[in-house]
Amino acid sequence: MSSSYGENIRLTIFGQSHSPAIGMTMEGIPAGQRIDRELLQRFLDRRAPGRAVYSTPRREADEPEFLSGLVGNVTCGAPIAAIIRNTNIRREDYAAFASLPRPGHADYTAQMKYGGAQDRSGGGHFSGRMTAPLCIAGGICLQMLAAEKIQVISRILSIGKVHDVGDLTESTAQKRFPTVDDACGEAMCAEIEDARAQGDSIGGVIECAVLGLPAGLGDPIFDGMENRIASAIFAIPAVKGIEFGSGFASAALHGSENNDPYFVEDGRVKTLTNHCGGILGGITNGMPLTFRVAVKPTPSIAKEQRSVNLKTMEPERLAITGRHDPCIVPRAVPCVEAAAAIAVYDALLGHKREEE
Amino acid sequence: MSSSYGENIRLTIFGQSHSPAIGMTMEGIPAGQRIDRELLQRFLDRRAPGRAVYSTPRREADEPEFLSGLVGNVTCGAPIAAIIRNTNIRREDYAAFASLPRPGHADYTAQMKYGGAQDRSGGGHFSGRMTAPLCIAGGICLQMLAAEKIQVISRILSIGKVHDVGDLTESTAQKRFPTVDDACGEAMCAEIEDARAQGDSIGGVIECAVLGLPAGLGDPIFDGMENRIASAIFAIPAVKGIEFGSGFASAALHGSENNDPYFVEDGRVKTLTNHCGGILGGITNGMPLTFRVAVKPTPSIAKEQRSVNLKTMEPERLAITGRHDPCIVPRAVPCVEAAAAIAVYDALLGHKREEE
Amino acid sequence: MSSSYGENIRLTIFGQSHSPAIGMTMEGIPAGQRIDRELLQRFLDRRAPGRAVYSTPRREADEPEFLSGLVGNVTCGAPIAAIIRNTNIRREDYAAFASLPRPGHADYTAQMKYGGAQDRSGGGHFSGRMTAPLCIAGGICLQMLAAEKIQVISRILSIGKVHDVGDLTESTAQKRFPTVDDACGEAMCAEIEDARAQGDSIGGVIECAVLGLPAGLGDPIFDGMENRIASAIFAIPAVKGIEFGSGFASAALHGSENNDPYFVEDGRVKTLTNHCGGILGGITNGMPLTFRVAVKPTPSIAKEQRSVNLKTMEPERLAITGRHDPCIVPRAVPCVEAAAAIAVYDALLGHKREEE
Amino acid sequence: MSSSYGENIRLTIFGQSHSPAIGMTMEGIPAGQRIDRELLQRFLDRRAPGRAVYSTPRREADEPEFLSGLVGNVTCGAPIAAIIRNTNIRREDYAAFASLPRPGHADYTAQMKYGGAQDRSGGGHFSGRMTAPLCIAGGICLQMLAAEKIQVISRILSIGKVHDVGDLTESTAQKRFPTVDDACGEAMCAEIEDARAQGDSIGGVIECAVLGLPAGLGDPIFDGMENRIASAIFAIPAVKGIEFGSGFASAALHGSENNDPYFVEDGRVKTLTNHCGGILGGITNGMPLTFRVAVKPTPSIAKEQRSVNLKTMEPERLAITGRHDPCIVPRAVPCVEAAAAIAVYDALLGHKREEE
């Protein structure tokens, strides 16, 4: 195990790329909460494939069917279950990889873990497609958070070596290609297009902020906000790093530079800087909770690569011909928001219990 | 919650900086395992204060008393409980901070979470001292891993802006100040001494590798090795970032650069490079599992800082006069190894169940 | 929460009586296990309604659709998800109970818990229909256990005041109406028919045994076999008591009568009697694990009952006219086996890890 | 595993009969709660040995030392840890049982589980002595519940074949030997004394009620109040059965007899009878939550018993000569209250979160 997450909510993600359906169950959302299905669909559409130059042409609607947990569109207290049918299945695409593991993919590790019984088609349970149910769960949590005036926003901080400039704001997050500086955004798109043209792929960094959090959220030691968010974010395939506040840059600073001085504004305690990313001792201080996520380049590339035939144990070369994004960073943005929303809302439910 | 961790082991860390004792309970270590108490003590000594120029003069032996779970030095299957008495307590040091939160510390966030009932002395449950029981648990797990020929090694990659060069090896990890290049190590020590002389502190980065892991360890989605290790590592106060393999650097690469090609050596499948840090799809591939951890500068500094008096809500300045490390990175090294060992051993126990 | 169970498997049951579907997700079944779908269907048919005089005429096929976790009929290591569509829905049946809680049902308690947002139709998530996904999960676990030569068998020990005689054996368990003595079984059926004729219902006791268990299964204190099985069995609506071995009868005995003396047979340690039900200190001793479960009479009866109108807070009378079993004991038999199989298999997976 | 319990609190019990100490850690008690140490000690004294004719002469004070989680006597939000030193240790008493398992004890099953590495002295982790830390945790939960006007009361319903008469009330629960009818109590004591005189032991039944609970407490399916309480109660060694409300007697009733009709009193919905024991669908209805627990006779008896020498696999006889209660039912009464309080308080914390 495990494809399950949460302390106060309990989320299970199921499905394989080419199984009859993918989906999620989520317990713990309080009864009586209205879910805006259109808003949820718009959120899911941000992740769905086939929308842009940088995205795979495989296009599925990603429209969830809710099987339980709702009466009309209102939660009834029972576990919420929702599924998305897999309709556009081409099992033959992947037959070759059964014994020839694709570099950078989970083909080989899944083979070692499951002794050959894993579902190889399309990456099986390791497919990026499993982020669709993550986004269903996260989209619901985002709505729960919004009802408490908590926003989760994000931007693309870099694609390859092209970096955005300026500070993340709510208006940035609403752009179709979310960068503060549109010229940077265009340069990033060019970088992606360039990778595609070369039969290659490219990685990037996503920055995320949670606004409107109360101070006092999170727990000591193993359940701090960093632990909780990291634990959820690494559920997104291709994520290889996370840093909070100034993160790795803090490691090069002196304490006198990195400590965030307190001051009072509008009767509230705030900090002048936010190197700590809104978290001290694992617990929120009421400032924006900020973090950055490193996304590796899509491992599926048309360029020829070296691998090993697991049957013969002889070297072999492979070129991946299927439908693949040259850069998954844009589609990973809502996934990061979803994972953050799940982690934060789970912590918030615990916080409410304590506040009583 | 929560000060608990684990799926197959269950670790709870308890205690406050100035409570009668600190300690840990750990369930799930198989019965019949011999614990080498001397080896454990030497491991704990690496974390203990008062050993070097860069360390606080507060010195306590950190000798655990085992209360249960052992017959002689052999595990009996019952939960292991061990405590360390707090002997060198000076409650008066911290009285002033009750209403004047120290920047960069958990004073303010704990106040907001616990409504003023938290134990303020010495940081209470948020004290760096809580890493001593983490190291007891981790030290035991390191011994369990060693019995399976799995090693956890680490080095100091940077202090402030001074970086080590070369590749981490087992011999590096055994040095008193673990850097590959001793000249770099000396420059780092000078950097620390310089921070101390200025009444300041400084951060750094630790690199860690787990050697000898089988392929197939870890689980999809929320229980991948990245999720598991991150979740444990962020239990160490002052950690603000983690990256696996090439981490954030991967985000700037093309897929053709970042994918690790497979080859065969000595009948085993290996990869030519290790950008993925030994983890694909959350699951180990049998290569070294590598990660880096960003440690922020110690927030306790002698330099005067801005804060807010929470009673009057007026700005106030404070200078911290107690005993504090100018740089906790060297003492954090065994903590990182301990947290990694706990996460890896927990996953290994699950792996064994599957292998049956 | 929670509709989730398990330490080494993780089972979530979702759905409401009249939601689009009911179902379950189950993680932790090892990869590579073949599931016999026909055998599973025959097991589910034992629970399904509409089969006998004692059963409600509402008839649904209870044929699960597997959405994930299988390749063909073999587990692939990913979570198994299966659903059963709700086809025979008559929401109007239950409209009246919105403000007039049925005695013995969860109408009132769900109203108090969910503040009126619960799904009232057909008992919602509290419906006996939720035992169908429990039986999917349990049916799979029964097959996993059978592969290890572990059998779960049961009989109807009593209906109302009519008791079976003799000892439970495997052949008894295969009967359509599982009693040792067929005359007793006929008398029980008459008792059920009599209850129906009076517009009433009747309860009973089920006896269950798990055969072929290794000694050493289970854990101390909170995870003994009694805790584990009780925790799963009380998931079946209408269960109000459980006893292991001689149970409540043991309380009237002397130690010299109740202690089970050891002897050796065929080189194995056994006990002459089995008052302890195969469990000592929470851990199996290798003898049959036996327990009995008290099932209350179906609360839905045609006879007029006293209730309270929650809107007016005035007394009101109600008579339940829908389709209801006069006795759910026969259909509860496979549910008891399912819950026991889930608990035992979950413990067995933990046991395998230890055995390594 | 596992010696841990809880969803909103997390309790771990550690120690062996003859390890340096026994104890518990408990997370999740809200910060700022005052613990009355004297009241707690009086509660622990009810369980402690050596108090009466029916109790073993081994007498230890059972005075807990609190190691963490408190500032003064007020909870600070960090995990509470408390230990009791084992002072009166006689390891030689038990040496003989290493290869000659005592009937009715966990000697044999622990041997099978731990492969001989278990702590055999005094029953090790399976000792009844482990109920002392259970009572520390439970005693704290009882105080938390009392602050919300929730009482846990109990009585001895039977010893051997002697039954109490009348209904359990708060005044009964305060008696030294808690029976409604004092003559019954005297007859029970005579029954115990008689068992002792014969070198034998005797079992009994404890009845417990939780008064003052809100309606709406508990959760569907696997986390109903029955599941939660059963799961905690079976942590008490010697418990072999539990029934809620009318329990097994309900199984002999018709629905028209067993359903509890609703009525209104003082503006509150109540039921005329309480066959359901205050629980419907796993959730409280606001009536007293009632249950009964079957306690087997103490397995340690002076009378000669049959066993098997595990080294020679030859039959052998043994007579247990140590210090043992002829009946543990009276000392089990506070243990039942403790386990119930832990389960109920854990559920109550979840309930508070939902109420927000």
Side-chain angles (χ1 to χ4, degrees):
Chain A
M1 296 207 269
S2 148
S3 302
S4 295
Y5 180 86
E7 182 184 43
N8 298 302
I9 57 172
R10 210 164 299 172
L11 168 65
T12 298
I13 286 176
F14 59 85
Q16 298 113 248
S17 187
H18 292 177
S19 64
I22 59 176
M24 61 108 230
T25 63
M26 183 163 53
E27 288 186 84
I29 303 291
Q33 308 298 308
R34 180 168 300 277
I35 293 176
D36 182 330
R37 297 284 291 276
E38 275 188 38
L39 189 62
L40 178 63
Q41 191 59 54
R42 284 202 301 275
F43 179 69
L44 295 176
D45 287 346
R46 289 173 56 200
R47 193 214 71 90
R51 308 273 155 170
V53 292
Y54 47 76
S55 178
T56 166
R58 173 180 174 178
R59 176 162 185 153
E60 296 189 8
D62 275 3
E63 282 173 18
E65 180 192 6
F66 281 83
L67 298 180
S68 71
L70 301 180
V71 175
N73 286 322
V74 177
T75 59
C76 68
I80 299 171
I83 62 171
I84 298 170
R85 291 276 167 187
N86 285 326
T87 53
N88 188 0
I89 296 173
R90 296 200 241 157
R91 280 205 173 249
E92 61 281 17
D93 275 357
Y94 302 90
F97 306 131
S99 56
L100 189 63
R102 293 168 294 173
H105 272 285
D107 299 342
Y108 175 69
T109 56
Q111 175 80 8
M112 296 308 286
K113 180 175 179 66
Y114 299 119
Q118 80 273 21
D119 185 352
R120 291 180 184 91
S121 293
H125 192 52
F126 296 90
S127 164
R129 184 152 171 73
M130 298 316 299
T131 55
L134 182 79
C135 282
I136 298 174
I140 293 171
C141 291
L142 281 166
Q143 294 188 16
M144 299 298 110
L145 290 173
E148 318 242 358
K149 306 204 180 311
I150 297 169
Q151 308 296 328
V152 180
I153 61 175
S154 47
R155 66 147 156 189
I156 298 174
L157 189 65
S158 68
I159 295 289
K161 292 175 178 61
V162 183
H163 285 253
D164 191 21
V165 292
D167 292 329
L168 168 61
T169 63
E170 288 182 62
S171 64
T172 301
Q174 284 156 15
K175 294 183 186 177
R176 195 164 180 295
F177 194 95
T179 53
V180 171
D181 186 282
D182 290 337
C184 290
E186 282 163 35
M188 289 178 189
C189 288
E191 192 82 358
I192 294 170
E193 190 45 45
D194 190 53
R196 175 206 299 281
Q198 295 172 42
D200 212 335
S201 65
I202 192 143
V205 174
I206 295 166
E207 185 176 54
C208 183
V210 188
L211 311 178
L213 285 176
L217 199 68
D219 295 86
I221 307 195
F222 295 108
D223 269 352
M225 292 312 298
E226 289 112 335
N227 315 58
R228 288 166 175 271
I229 290 173
S231 184
I233 288 287
F234 280 112
I236 305 169
V239 170
K240 294 303 282 189
I242 187 166
E243 59 178 4
F244 293 86
S246 298
F248 280 88
S250 275
L253 297 180
H254 286 93
S256 58
E257 299 165 301
N258 189 63
N259 284 350
D260 302 303
Y262 291 108
F263 75 107
V264 173
E265 191 176 69
D266 303 333
R268 277 188 55 220
V269 174
K270 297 186 175 178
T271 60
L272 283 169
T273 51
N274 190 16
H275 294 293
C276 74
I279 309 170
L280 289 171
I283 298 174
T284 56
N285 67 0
M287 295 295 291
L289 189 163
T290 64
F291 64 95
R292 274 172 302 282
V293 171
V295 180
K296 73 176 186 183
T298 326
S300 291
I301 56 175
K303 279 193 173 172
E304 203 179 70
Q305 299 179 82
R306 294 177 57 175
S307 184
V308 165
N309 185 314
L310 297 180
K311 286 184 189 150
T312 63
M313 289 299 264
E314 292 297 323
E316 208 163 298
R317 288 180 177 269
L318 87 169
I320 300 171
T321 53
R323 308 150 297 177
H324 303 287
D325 290 344
C327 180
I328 56 163
V329 175
R331 290 178 60 201
V333 170
C335 302
V336 166
E337 294 174 9
I342 292 163
V344 167
Y345 185 59
D346 188 46
L348 189 70
L349 285 172
H351 184 62
K352 290 188 169 197
R353 185 180 65 219
E354 285 162 0
E355 275 195 321
E356 264 292 301
Chain B
M1 297 205 274
S2 157
S3 302
S4 296
Y5 180 86
E7 182 185 43
N8 298 302
I9 57 171
R10 210 163 299 170
L11 168 65
T12 298
I13 287 177
F14 59 85
Q16 298 113 248
S17 187
H18 292 176
S19 64
I22 59 177
M24 62 108 230
T25 64
M26 183 162 53
E27 288 186 84
I29 303 291
Q33 307 299 307
R34 180 168 301 276
I35 293 175
D36 183 331
R37 296 284 292 275
E38 275 188 38
L39 190 63
L40 178 63
Q41 190 60 53
R42 285 203 299 275
F43 179 69
L44 296 176
D45 287 346
R46 288 173 56 199
R47 193 215 70 89
R51 308 272 154 172
V53 292
Y54 48 75
S55 178
T56 165
R58 173 181 174 176
R59 177 163 183 152
E60 297 189 6
D62 275 4
E63 282 173 18
E65 180 193 5
F66 281 83
L67 299 179
S68 72
L70 303 180
V71 175
N73 286 321
V74 177
T75 58
C76 68
I80 300 171
I83 62 171
I84 299 170
R85 292 275 167 186
N86 285 326
T87 54
N88 188 359
I89 295 173
R90 295 201 240 157
R91 282 207 171 249
E92 61 281 15
D93 276 357
Y94 302 91
F97 306 131
S99 55
L100 189 63
R102 293 168 295 173
H105 272 285
D107 299 342
Y108 174 69
T109 56
Q111 174 80 10
M112 296 307 285
K113 180 175 179 65
Y114 298 119
Q118 81 273 22
D119 186 352
R120 291 181 185 90
S121 293
H125 192 53
F126 296 89
S127 165
R129 186 154 169 70
M130 299 316 299
T131 55
L134 182 78
C135 284
I136 298 174
I140 293 170
C141 290
L142 282 166
Q143 293 189 18
M144 300 297 110
L145 290 173
E148 318 242 359
K149 306 206 181 309
I150 297 168
Q151 308 296 328
V152 180
I153 62 174
S154 48
R155 67 148 155 187
I156 297 174
L157 189 65
S158 68
I159 296 288
K161 292 175 178 61
V162 183
H163 285 254
D164 192 20
V165 293
D167 292 329
L168 169 61
T169 63
E170 288 182 61
S171 65
T172 300
Q174 283 156 15
K175 294 183 187 177
R176 192 163 184 296
F177 194 96
T179 53
V180 171
D181 186 282
D182 290 337
C184 290
E186 281 163 36
M188 290 177 189
C189 288
E191 192 83 357
I192 294 169
E193 189 47 43
D194 190 53
R196 177 207 299 280
Q198 296 171 42
D200 212 334
S201 65
I202 192 142
V205 174
I206 295 166
E207 186 177 53
C208 183
V210 188
L211 310 178
L213 285 176
L217 199 68
D219 296 86
I221 307 197
F222 295 108
D223 269 351
M225 293 311 299
E226 290 112 334
N227 315 59
R228 288 166 175 271
I229 291 173
S231 184
I233 288 287
F234 281 112
I236 305 169
V239 169
K240 295 303 282 188
I242 187 165
E243 58 178 4
F244 294 85
S246 297
F248 280 89
S250 275
L253 297 180
H254 287 92
S256 58
E257 300 164 302
N258 189 63
N259 284 350
D260 302 303
Y262 291 106
F263 75 108
V264 172
E265 191 177 68
D266 303 332
R268 277 188 55 218
V269 175
K270 297 187 175 177
T271 60
L272 283 168
T273 50
N274 191 15
H275 293 294
C276 74
I279 309 171
L280 288 171
I283 298 173
T284 56
N285 67 0
M287 296 295 290
L289 188 164
T290 64
F291 64 94
R292 274 172 302 283
V293 171
V295 180
K296 74 177 186 183
T298 327
S300 291
I301 56 174
K303 278 192 174 173
E304 201 179 73
Q305 299 178 81
R306 293 176 58 173
S307 185
V308 165
N309 184 314
L310 297 180
K311 286 185 189 149
T312 62
M313 290 298 266
E314 292 297 323
E316 207 164 299
R317 288 178 177 270
L318 86 168
I320 300 170
T321 54
R323 308 149 297 176
H324 303 287
D325 289 344
C327 180
I328 56 162
V329 175
R331 290 177 60 200
V333 170
C335 302
V336 165
E337 294 174 10
I342 292 164
V344 167
Y345 185 60
D346 187 46
L348 189 70
L349 286 172
H351 184 62
K352 290 188 168 198
R353 184 180 63 220
E354 285 161 3
E355 276 194 321
E356 264 292 300
Chain C
M1 297 204 274
S2 148
S3 302
S4 296
Y5 179 86
E7 183 185 41
N8 298 301
I9 58 172
R10 211 163 298 171
L11 168 65
T12 298
I13 286 177
F14 58 85
Q16 299 112 246
S17 187
H18 293 176
S19 64
I22 58 177
M24 62 109 228
T25 63
M26 182 161 54
E27 289 186 84
I29 302 292
Q33 308 298 308
R34 181 167 299 276
I35 293 175
D36 182 331
R37 296 285 292 275
E38 275 188 39
L39 190 63
L40 178 63
Q41 190 59 54
R42 283 202 300 277
F43 179 70
L44 295 176
D45 287 347
R46 287 173 56 199
R47 193 215 69 89
R51 307 274 154 170
V53 293
Y54 47 76
S55 178
T56 164
R58 172 180 173 177
R59 176 162 186 155
E60 297 188 7
D62 275 3
E63 281 174 18
E65 180 192 7
F66 281 83
L67 298 180
S68 72
L70 302 181
V71 175
N73 286 321
V74 177
T75 59
C76 68
I80 300 172
I83 61 171
I84 299 170
R85 292 275 167 187
N86 284 325
T87 53
N88 188 359
I89 296 174
R90 296 200 240 157
R91 281 206 172 251
E92 62 280 17
D93 276 357
Y94 303 89
F97 308 130
S99 55
L100 189 63
R102 292 168 296 172
H105 272 285
D107 299 342
Y108 175 69
T109 57
Q111 174 80 7
M112 295 307 285
K113 180 175 180 65
Y114 299 119
Q118 81 273 21
D119 185 353
R120 290 180 185 90
S121 293
H125 192 53
F126 296 89
S127 164
R129 184 151 170 72
M130 300 314 300
T131 55
L134 181 78
C135 283
I136 298 173
I140 293 170
C141 291
L142 282 166
Q143 293 188 18
M144 300 297 110
L145 291 173
E148 317 243 359
K149 306 205 180 310
I150 297 169
Q151 309 296 327
V152 180
I153 61 174
S154 47
R155 67 150 155 187
I156 297 174
L157 190 65
S158 67
I159 295 289
K161 292 174 178 62
V162 183
H163 286 253
D164 192 22
V165 293
D167 292 329
L168 168 61
T169 64
E170 288 181 62
S171 64
T172 300
Q174 283 156 14
K175 295 182 186 177
R176 193 164 182 295
F177 194 95
T179 54
V180 172
D181 186 282
D182 290 336
C184 290
E186 282 165 35
M188 290 178 188
C189 289
E191 192 83 357
I192 294 170
E193 189 47 44
D194 190 53
R196 175 206 299 280
Q198 296 171 41
D200 211 335
S201 65
I202 192 144
V205 174
I206 296 166
E207 186 176 53
C208 184
V210 188
L211 310 178
L213 285 176
L217 199 68
D219 295 86
I221 307 196
F222 294 109
D223 269 351
M225 293 311 298
E226 289 111 334
N227 315 59
R228 288 165 175 272
I229 291 174
S231 185
I233 288 287
F234 281 113
I236 305 169
V239 170
K240 296 302 282 187
I242 188 166
E243 57 179 5
F244 294 85
S246 297
F248 279 88
S250 276
L253 297 180
H254 287 92
S256 59
E257 299 164 301
N258 189 64
N259 285 349
D260 301 304
Y262 291 107
F263 75 107
V264 173
E265 190 177 68
D266 303 332
R268 279 188 53 219
V269 174
K270 297 186 175 178
T271 60
L272 283 169
T273 50
N274 191 15
H275 293 294
C276 74
I279 309 171
L280 288 172
I283 298 173
T284 56
N285 66 0
M287 296 295 291
L289 189 164
T290 63
F291 64 94
R292 275 172 300 282
V293 171
V295 180
K296 74 177 186 182
T298 325
S300 291
I301 55 175
K303 277 191 174 174
E304 201 178 74
Q305 299 179 81
R306 293 176 59 173
S307 185
V308 164
N309 185 314
L310 297 180
K311 286 185 189 149
T312 62
M313 291 296 267
E314 292 297 322
E316 206 164 300
R317 288 177 177 271
L318 87 169
I320 299 170
T321 53
R323 308 150 298 177
H324 302 287
D325 289 343
C327 181
I328 56 163
V329 175
R331 290 178 60 200
V333 170
C335 302
V336 165
E337 294 174 10
I342 292 164
V344 166
Y345 185 60
D346 187 47
L348 189 70
L349 285 172
H351 184 62
K352 289 187 168 197
R353 185 180 63 219
E354 284 161 3
E355 274 193 323
E356 265 291 301
Chain D
M1 296 206 274
S2 148
S3 302
S4 295
Y5 181 86
E7 182 184 43
N8 298 301
I9 58 172
R10 210 163 300 171
L11 168 65
T12 299
I13 286 176
F14 59 85
Q16 299 112 249
S17 186
H18 292 175
S19 64
I22 58 177
M24 61 110 229
T25 63
M26 183 162 53
E27 289 186 84
I29 302 290
Q33 308 298 308
R34 181 168 298 278
I35 293 175
D36 183 331
R37 296 286 290 276
E38 276 188 39
L39 189 63
L40 179 62
Q41 192 58 55
R42 283 202 299 277
F43 179 69
L44 295 176
D45 286 347
R46 288 174 56 200
R47 193 215 70 91
R51 308 272 153 171
V53 292
Y54 48 75
S55 178
T56 165
R58 172 179 174 179
R59 175 162 186 155
E60 297 188 8
D62 275 3
E63 282 174 16
E65 180 192 6
F66 281 83
L67 298 180
S68 72
L70 302 180
V71 175
N73 286 321
V74 176
T75 59
C76 68
I80 300 171
I83 62 170
I84 298 171
R85 292 276 167 185
N86 285 325
T87 52
N88 188 0
I89 297 173
R90 295 200 240 159
R91 280 203 173 250
E92 60 279 18
D93 277 357
Y94 302 90
F97 308 131
S99 56
L100 189 63
R102 292 168 296 173
H105 272 285
D107 298 342
Y108 175 69
T109 57
Q111 174 81 9
M112 295 307 286
K113 179 175 180 65
Y114 299 119
Q118 81 272 22
D119 186 352
R120 289 181 185 89
S121 292
H125 192 53
F126 296 89
S127 164
R129 184 151 172 72
M130 300 314 300
T131 54
L134 182 78
C135 283
I136 298 173
I140 292 171
C141 291
L142 282 167
Q143 294 188 16
M144 299 297 110
L145 290 173
E148 318 243 357
K149 306 206 180 311
I150 297 168
Q151 308 296 326
V152 180
I153 62 175
S154 48
R155 66 149 155 187
I156 297 174
L157 189 66
S158 67
I159 295 290
K161 292 176 179 61
V162 183
H163 285 253
D164 191 21
V165 293
D167 292 329
L168 168 61
T169 64
E170 288 181 63
S171 64
T172 301
Q174 283 156 15
K175 294 182 186 178
R176 193 165 182 295
F177 194 95
T179 53
V180 171
D181 185 283
D182 290 336
C184 290
E186 282 165 35
M188 290 177 188
C189 289
E191 192 83 357
I192 295 171
E193 189 45 44
D194 190 52
R196 175 205 299 280
Q198 295 171 41
D200 212 333
S201 65
I202 192 144
V205 174
I206 296 166
E207 185 176 53
C208 183
V210 187
L211 310 178
L213 285 176
L217 198 68
D219 296 85
I221 307 196
F222 294 108
D223 269 352
M225 293 311 299
E226 288 112 334
N227 315 58
R228 288 166 174 271
I229 291 174
S231 184
I233 287 288
F234 280 112
I236 305 169
V239 169
K240 295 302 283 187
I242 188 166
E243 58 178 5
F244 293 85
S246 297
F248 280 88
S250 276
L253 297 180
H254 286 91
S256 58
E257 300 164 303
N258 189 63
N259 284 350
D260 301 304
Y262 290 108
F263 75 108
V264 174
E265 190 176 68
D266 303 332
R268 279 189 54 220
V269 174
K270 297 185 174 177
T271 59
L272 283 169
T273 51
N274 191 16
H275 293 294
C276 74
I279 308 171
L280 289 172
I283 298 173
T284 56
N285 67 1
M287 296 295 290
L289 189 164
T290 64
F291 64 94
R292 274 172 301 283
V293 171
V295 180
K296 74 177 185 182
T298 326
S300 291
I301 55 175
K303 278 190 174 174
E304 202 178 72
Q305 299 179 80
R306 295 176 58 173
S307 184
V308 165
N309 185 314
L310 297 181
K311 287 185 189 151
T312 63
M313 291 297 267
E314 292 297 323
E316 207 165 297
R317 290 178 175 269
L318 87 169
I320 299 170
T321 54
R323 307 150 297 178
H324 302 288
D325 290 343
C327 180
I328 56 162
V329 176
R331 289 179 59 201
V333 170
C335 302
V336 166
E337 294 174 9
I342 291 163
V344 166
Y345 185 60
D346 188 46
L348 189 69
L349 286 172
H351 183 63
K352 289 187 169 198
R353 185 181 64 220
E354 286 162 0
E355 275 195 322
E356 264 292 300

